[in-house]
Amino acid sequence: MIDTKGSYLVDDYLEVADFWAWETDENLVLTYLSSGFTALTGLPVDEFLGRSRSQINKRDLDHDIWRKHHETLMRRQPFRRFRYPLEASSGEIRWFESSGIPHFDAEGRFVGYRGVARDVTEHVRDRARLTASNRETKLQQTLLAHIERVSRIGAWRWTYGEPHISMSDEIYRILGVTPGMPTTRDDATRSFAPRSRGAFDAAVTRAIREQVSFDLTLELDTPHRGRRWARVIGLPEVVDGRTTRLFGTFQDVTEQREQELEMRRLAMTDALTDTANRAAFNERLERVAARSAETGHGFMLCVADLNRFKQVNDQHGHDVGDQVLVRFAGQFKTDMPEYWFFARMGGDEFAVLIGDGEAAIDLDDETARLKAAIEREICVDAASVAVHATGGFAVAPADGTDTQALMRRADLALYDAKTDADCHLRRFDFVMEQCFERRVLVMQSFREALDLGQIVPHYQPVVELATGQATGMEALARWQHPERGVLTAAQFADVFDDARMSIDLSRVMLERVCEDMAAWDRAGGRFGRVGINVTAAVLEQPGFALRVIETLGRHRLRPENLVIEITETMVINSAAAAITEQLQHLLEAGVQIALDDFGTGFSSLTHLKSLPFNILKIDKTFVDDMLRSAADQSIVRSLIGLGRDLGYTTVAEGIEHWAEAQMLRRLGCERGQGYLFHKPMPRQDIERLLGIQPEALPKAAAGGS
């Protein structure tokens, strides 16, 4: 229950006010109504306690009004002057106006609303009848609005020209003065720190002269409570164009100020590693760059991330991943000098700033020290995990002075370093930026090619090794470039690293392949199963499986005619759970799933157990060397046997010689593909291979890709 003496208005104001106070719990159920409720409505309090306003109201109110009010309550926001009808004991419908504020406990949990309500029936019926008392009503509403904003605040009022100021007991308590003592304005401000007293006097003078409100946070130095802070809000009351009174609220905000300082610290700290975070790093970087511009002294900006960190999370869980991050941050901070500034930027990304812009740095020494810190192995013994980091750095002013450009160039150096397995740290070179710009141009051109229909499937047959007969094929994206001719996927490989582009490419390929299969099917061609390669970004789309099934249905194709091919490495480096769910949906619908490049990934047997698929494709690297390497031959034999024992169809990739095909057949491999049998070919060549006559094809499909 609310203590109305110190929570709403001064005692004498409550005695004459034509409103009542109310309170709800966290479920918006009324838990308190002041005596003014019965006096104003003639209804007993007990009939309404334990019920919400929506349960009490029996009248149909405009839906938008209730909806907006409900949204306000659900957002736990204050509301002012919400009007609603209520049936009094006489049966008369009267209108009331309510204002409320949410309240939270010390831990920040919502505990309910508190507020006041008043009868505004006469105002609703006839605004003219309230003209005489309009000024006082406005004063009451304004006072209530500010008092209701927060709990445990006091109200004050001062008539211009009078020596004394009227204050509620709460203000006396905040100031450390005995309640009820006559208090002048000078007495009330005696506890203010000198600067705060000057700010308050200036605000009062301006409010009187310019008739504007003020909202100040002032420092107090109270006799018994020490240094504290108060928020003082003041508004002028204007009569006939002249300021007659000032009134407002006074709130102790010491705890809030301390929380703000703590929040500021937390906002600049990474909670997991207890290092600086991105916001703190960016702030420091801007300061150092500004000083560097003034002094001419350079600094280094390095970004780093952990290699195969996603795999650690997927295989060992996020707890172990967190331990790796904490261990890396701890080791790095131990190795680095005090004048370095180290931060976690998010995920497994870190950054370090070397130099403060005020003194010169020895680039060679700092680079050697940075390289040693980054190269240290990060181990979590409990999970037998060992991870290394890779970094890239840029140097100001040689590599630029703009902070965003420096960060981008350090990222480019990191990207370049990641392409070399033996490299742990690389400095930015402007050649990297040129390569990046070329990649951007390729991406832009490829986007146009997609829109213009220049991306088409070429098909490489998969044959039965025992007979040499084609049993299916793999669809491979080809770019029919107007100037450079037909480009293979290797010539636009950057496309597959871009999630959005790879998703769009898969959509185009799926549609084109299904169109071709539908045309062949109608022409009586026996094409078997056609495989389409997809990236992790494609499989991670929540609706991918449904889109595949819908496309097959739209073209009247059987699901078993389609094969979705994924690489083992792709699964390792992506969200395995999301991918597994999509693959399971497809498999249950009848679509075939092939694990491509099998044997090249990490912990392959784990994927055999966890991934839903029914075709195993042995990577070309093993096929290439099995005639020369007993080890590779043994690996191929084991993979074939494993696939056979688990019930998978096994396909060997990259077969280029008869000796390879013969050995694979002796080892029990069922199917294969490679240049020995067929190179990837356009649709027309496939149709000739399938024995489909052009006149048998639908007109839209005949003629060319």
Side-chain angles (χ1 to χ4, degrees), residues 210-242:
E210 300 180 20
Q211 299 174 356
V212 294
S213 60
F214 59 84
D215 187 341
L216 305 173
T217 299
L218 305 174
E219 183 182 356
L220 309 179
D221 189 7
T222 57
H224 305 293
R225 306 184 68 194
R227 184 186 181 193
R228 302 189 71 78
W229 295 85
R231 182 183 183 187
V232 183
I233 296 174
L235 296 95
E237 180 186 8
V238 180
V239 178
D240 296 331
R242 186 169 57 88

Side-chain angles (χ1 to χ4, degrees), residues 157-195:
R157 184 169 60 236
W158 175 63
T159 300
Y160 180 58
E162 292 187 0
H164 291 90
I165 186 170
S166 175
M167 304 185 302
S168 68
D169 288 351
E170 183 69 12
I171 299 180
Y172 284 101
R173 187 193 66 78
I174 295 171
L175 295 176
V177 180
T178 303
M181 292 181 59
T183 305
T184 66
R185 202 178 103 187
D186 288 341
D187 294 333
T189 60
R190 189 168 290 118
S191 297
F192 290 9
R195 290 182 60 183

Side-chain angles (χ1 to χ4, degrees), residues 460-463 465 474 476 533 565-568 594-600 615-626 636 639-640 650-657 660-661 664 669 671-677:
Q460 184 175 32
V462 175
V463 304
L465 291 179
E474 179 181 358
L476 302 166
N533 294 280
E565 300 198 12
I566 61 172
T567 65
E568 185 181 6
L595 188 61
D596 202 2
D597 299 340
F598 185 70
T600 60
I615 300 173
L616 186 153
K617 302 188 76 172
I618 300 173
D619 186 68
K620 180 182 187 299
T621 55
F622 297 112
V623 174
D624 287 343
D625 294 330
M626 69 178 182
V636 171
L639 294 177
I640 293 171
T650 306
V651 180
E653 298 180 291
I655 303 173
E656 298 184 0
H657 305 284
E660 294 170 348
L664 286 166
C669 185
R671 296 174 184 172
Q673 67 182 119
Y675 283 10
L676 173 64
F677 307 109

Side-chain angles (χ1 to χ4, degrees), residues 415-416 418-419 435-436 439-440 442-443 446-447 489-506 533-538 540 567 569-570 573-574:
Y415 178 85
D416 192 75
K418 301 281 274 189
T419 62
C435 293
F436 174 75
R439 288 198 301 272
V440 170
V442 169
M443 299 294 284
F446 191 83
R447 165 59 62 194
Q491 294 170 285
F492 51 89
D494 290 329
V495 166
F496 303 105
D497 294 328
D498 182 273
R500 184 69 262 167
M501 197 75 78
S502 64
I503 290 170
D504 291 342
L505 172 60
S506 76
N533 294 280
V534 298
T535 65
V538 173
E540 287 170 1
T567 65
T569 305
M570 178 192 80
N573 297 323
S574 59

Side-chain angles (χ1 to χ4, degrees), residues 42 68 82 102 105 246 283 405 481 505 557 578 585 639 643 653:
K68 292 178 181 177
F82 174 70
D105 60 19
L246 294 178
E283 186 178 280
H481 198 283
L505 172 60
L557 294 169
H585 287 324
L639 294 177
E653 298 180 291

Side-chain angles (χ1 to χ4, degrees), residues 399-548:
D399 298 331
T401 56
D402 178 76
T403 55
Q404 292 185 353
L406 284 169
M407 185 67 77
R408 184 177 67 252
R409 286 164 180 169
D411 278 330
L412 287 174
L414 171 62
Y415 178 85
D416 192 75
K418 301 281 274 189
T419 62
D420 184 349
D422 297 325
C423 179
H424 289 285
L425 180 67
R426 184 158 290 169
R427 180 180 173 177
F428 168 77
D429 187 292
F430 281 97
V431 172
M432 298 175 188
E433 202 157 52
Q434 295 168 7
C435 293
F436 174 75
E437 290 170 355
R438 282 197 297 270
R439 288 198 301 272
V440 170
L441 290 175
V442 169
M443 299 294 284
Q444 292 173 345
S445 298
F446 191 83
R447 165 59 62 194
E448 294 175 1
L450 276 176
D451 295 339
L452 294 172
Q454 295 173 358
I455 308 303
V456 299
H458 279 205
Y459 299 93
Q460 184 175 32
V462 175
V463 304
E464 190 78 42
L465 291 179
T467 64
Q469 294 297 312
T471 62
M473 62 193 79
E474 179 181 358
L476 302 166
R478 293 293 183 262
W479 183 351
Q480 292 182 326
H481 198 283
E483 299 172 359
R484 300 170 60 192
V486 177
L487 304 182
T488 66
Q491 294 170 285
F492 51 89
D494 290 329
V495 166
F496 303 105
D497 294 328
D498 182 273
R500 184 69 262 167
M501 197 75 78
S502 64
I503 290 170
D504 291 342
L505 172 60
S506 76
R507 184 176 290 110
V508 169
M509 285 291 292
L510 177 64
E511 190 65 33
R512 293 296 298 269
V513 169
C514 285
E515 287 175 0
D516 288 349
M517 287 195 295
W520 299 336
D521 189 53
R522 289 193 293 273
R526 301 181 63 182
F527 51 86
R529 298 181 299 203
V530 180
I532 298 179
N533 294 280
V534 298
T535 65
V538 173
L539 276 175
E540 287 170 1
Q541 295 178 93
F544 172 71
L546 292 176
R547 180 160 59 83
V548 170

